[in-house]
């Protein structure tokens, strides 16, 4: 059997989640595999929680100069395909970005973690960005879950 997972106001959705964290619907499939031994070597794809522990997000420094790349390091993320790191002006609420386009959203820089439960990336002019170099001010960097706007860890930096 297969069930569509999504937002409350969608009549086609059988498993309703409020608030639903993305504009992509999910599918929950139940199946029985006969002769599973013949499937040796086949690896499941899709969403699997692969990390145990409290998610964390840090940067190498707390203060950066304009134009200096920001190295963000995360640990214990879910390891989902589209987990991502996003930089917002301090005080901006990422949850308000649900169903907005890239141009309408409040984030200024972002990049995917590429399903790594732990790792690092540089937020700089090569990131998906709307503003580079960053202007002086305070910013919050979030570790977000699977192309949605659920922040599971954050850290704050200053550009001066």
């Amino acid at each position: 059997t297969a069930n569509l997972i999504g937002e409350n106001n969608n009549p086609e959705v059988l498993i309703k989640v409020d608030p639903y964290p993305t504009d992509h619907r999910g599918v929950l499939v139940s199946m029985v595999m006969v002769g599973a031994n013949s499937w040796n070597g086949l690896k499941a794809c899709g969403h699997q929680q692969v990390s145990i522990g409290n998610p964390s997000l840090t940067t190498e420094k707390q203060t950066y100069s304009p134009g200096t790349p920001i190295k963000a390091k995360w640990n214990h993320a879910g390891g989902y395909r589209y987990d991502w790191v996003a930089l917002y002006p301090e005080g901006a609420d990422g949850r308000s970005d649900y169903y907005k386009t890239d141009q309408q959203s409040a984030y200024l820089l972002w990049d995917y973690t590429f399903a790594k439960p732990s790792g690092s990336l540089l937020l700089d002019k090569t990131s998906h960005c709307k503003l580079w170099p960053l202007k002086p001010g305070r910013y919050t960097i979030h570790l977000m879950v699977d192309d949605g706007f659920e922040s599971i860890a954050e850290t704050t930096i200053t550009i001066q």
Side-chain angles (χ1 to χ4, degrees), residues 99-138:
Y99 305 109
K100 290 184 179 177
T101 66
D102 202 34
Q103 294 77 22
Q104 296 170 327
S105 63
Y107 53 76
L108 302 174
L109 299 170
W110 69 273
D111 217 335
Y112 287 119
T113 66
F114 298 102
K116 296 177 185 170
S118 297
S120 65
L121 58 78
L122 286 179
L123 293 169
D124 62 12
K125 66 182 177 183
T126 65
S127 302
H128 302 275
C129 64
K130 295 190 287 189
L131 178 66
W132 188 263
L134 294 170
K135 296 177 182 176
R138 290 182 51 82

Side-chain angles (χ1 to χ4, degrees), residues 84-88 107 109-111 123 140-144:
W84 56 302
V85 174
L87 181 140
Y88 283 84
Y107 53 76
L109 299 170
W110 69 273
D111 217 335
L123 293 169
T140 304
I141 304 171
H142 295 272
L143 177 59
M144 307 288 240

